[in-house]
Amino acid sequence: MSSTPVQVNSMEQIAQVETAHPASSWIRQILAIFRLETQKFLWGRRALLMYALAVLPVFILVLMVSFPFTSARLTNSVIATEVFAWMFETLILRIMVFFGCAWIFMNLFRGDVVDRCLHYYFLCPVRREILVVGKYISGVVAAIGLFGTSTAVSLFLLYVPRGFTQGMDYLLNGPGFKQVVLYLGIVVFACVGYGAVFLLVGLIFRNPIFPAIAFLGWEMIGFLLPPILKKLSVLHYLKSLTPVPLSEGPFAIVAEPTPAWISIPGLLIMTALTLALASVLLRRMEIRYGGE
C-alpha cells in the first residue's frame, strides 16, 4: 500500500481523460495505465525475481567464456551454435521466459488483489477491457525489454571467444544475423503468448501456482504427445520457429514443425481470444478482499 499516493495521482489522470472522442480517450487511458504499471514492474518489490531470471543465462555464459576449456570450444562456430540452441530452448525459453511471464502476468490482477488496491482502478471511469489491454501491454513491454535484452547479451557473449573480426564476419556475412533475429523474435512471441495465458490464469484462480505448474507440465511433456495434441502447446509453435532444431530424444513422438505462416498468426489469434475472455471475466469481477 506504500504506492497509494502514486496510484491516486494516476487515477486522477485517468479520470480526467476526455470522453468526447472514444478512440482518443481509450488510447490516453491505456497510456496512463501503462505508465503506472511500468513503474510497478521496474521499481516494485516483485521486480527482483524478474531481474534474477534475466541475469541467469548471462551469468552462465560469462562463466563459460571465462574458463579456457569452454571458451576454446566456443571458438568453433558449429559448437557455439549448438550450445546456444540448447541453452535457448532449455534455459531461456523454458525457465527464464516461462517463469518470468508467469510471475509478471499472473500478478497483473492477482497482485493488486493481494495488495488490496485493485478497487482504485474499478472506481475510475475506465472500461474493464481498456484495463486488461493497458495492463497486458505494460507486461509485454516489460517482459520483452528484460528477457529480450538478456537474450541479446547472451548472444553477444557467444561471439566473444571468436574475437571481434570473426564474430562480426559470422554475424554480417554468415548465418549469425538471421539467428539473432529469429531468437529475439521467438522471445517476443513467447512473451505475447505466455503473457495472455498467464493473465487469464491469474484472473480465474485465487491461487494460480498450481494451474501454472500444470501448464508447465503440459509444456514439458509436449515431446511425448501425439501431433494433434502438440498443437495445443505454445511451446510447439515457438520451437517451430527456432533456427537450429534440436533432437527431442529417443522417446519423442516426431511431428512436423508448424510453418511460420501458421505459427505466428495462430499465436496472435490465441492471444486475442484469451484477452477477450479475460475482458469478459473482468467485467463480471467483484472484489472481495476479505476472502483473499
Side-chain angles (χ1 to χ4, degrees):
M1 298 297 290
S2 59
S3 58
T4 298
V6 176
Q7 290 171 342
V8 171
N9 292 334
S10 297
M11 294 304 107
E12 291 174 350
Q13 294 175 5
I14 295 173
Q16 293 171 359
V17 171
E18 299 176 2
T19 57
H21 199 300
S24 175
S25 173
W26 293 345
I27 292 174
R28 293 186 183 187
Q29 290 173 348
I30 290 174
L31 291 176
I33 296 169
F34 173 80
R35 287 194 295 269
L36 176 60
E37 293 296 318
T38 302
Q39 290 180 22
K40 292 165 62 179
F41 284 134
L42 295 178
W43 308 115
R45 64 183 186 278
R46 293 191 177 94
L48 294 177
L49 181 61
M50 291 167 40
Y51 292 131
L53 286 170
V55 168
L56 182 61
V58 175
F59 176 72
I60 292 177
L61 270 170
V62 167
L63 290 180
M64 293 179 69
V65 300
S66 299
F67 287 99
F69 176 74
T70 52
S71 181
R73 291 179 63 82
L74 290 177
T75 57
N76 185 312
S77 62
V78 176
I79 294 177
T81 301
E82 292 179 351
V83 167
F84 189 81
W86 178 87
M87 174 175 287
F88 179 80
E89 188 170 318
T90 58
L91 182 63
I92 294 179
L93 205 54
R94 295 175 185 259
I95 295 179
M96 181 183 75
V97 175
F98 184 89
F99 287 103
C101 287
W103 184 250
I104 292 173
F105 290 93
M106 287 196 305
N107 279 314
L108 283 179
F109 289 99
R110 185 54 52 189
D112 284 351
V113 172
V114 172
D115 293 340
R116 303 195 174 200
C117 60
L118 185 59
H119 64 281
Y120 290 118
Y121 278 123
F122 284 10
L123 291 173
C124 290
V126 178
R127 295 174 64 90
R128 300 282 177 94
E129 297 88 345
I130 297 298
L131 183 56
V132 170
V133 173
K135 278 180 167 280
Y136 174 74
I137 291 176
S138 64
V140 166
V141 170
I144 292 176
L146 202 56
F147 304 141
T149 301
S150 175
T151 303
V153 173
S154 300
L155 279 165
F156 170 77
L157 290 172
L158 195 70
Y159 292 110
V160 169
R162 292 179 231 178
F164 179 79
T165 303
Q166 290 187 353
M168 292 302 293
D169 182 64
Y170 183 80
L171 179 64
L172 300 178
N173 302 320
F177 183 77
K178 179 181 178 181
Q179 292 175 4
V180 171
V181 172
L182 287 176
Y183 281 129
L184 292 178
I186 293 172
V187 171
V188 170
F189 287 115
C191 294
V192 170
Y194 282 136
V197 172
F198 286 122
L199 184 150
L200 184 62
V201 170
L203 269 176
I204 294 177
F205 297 95
R206 180 172 298 177
N207 184 354
I209 299 298
F210 295 108
I213 293 175
F215 182 49
L216 174 63
W218 177 261
E219 294 288 81
M220 292 297 111
I221 65 171
F223 68 100
L224 297 174
L225 298 175
I228 187 66
L229 292 181
K230 289 180 186 292
K231 298 185 183 302
L232 300 178
S233 165
V234 175
L235 188 61
H236 168 73
Y237 296 103
L238 297 176
K239 289 174 61 177
S240 297
L241 302 174
T242 53
V244 184
L246 297 177
S247 173
E248 295 182 311
F251 302 106
I253 298 177
V254 179
E256 289 293 327
T258 303
W261 65 271
I262 295 179
S263 297
I264 296 175
L267 278 171
L268 296 179
I269 292 173
M270 183 275 295
T271 300
L273 293 176
T274 305
L275 292 179
L277 179 57
S279 299
V280 172
L281 293 176
L282 194 68
R283 287 181 63 87
R284 301 175 179 177
M285 184 176 179
E286 296 181 1
I287 302 175
R288 293 187 178 89
Y289 291 142
E292 300 296 329

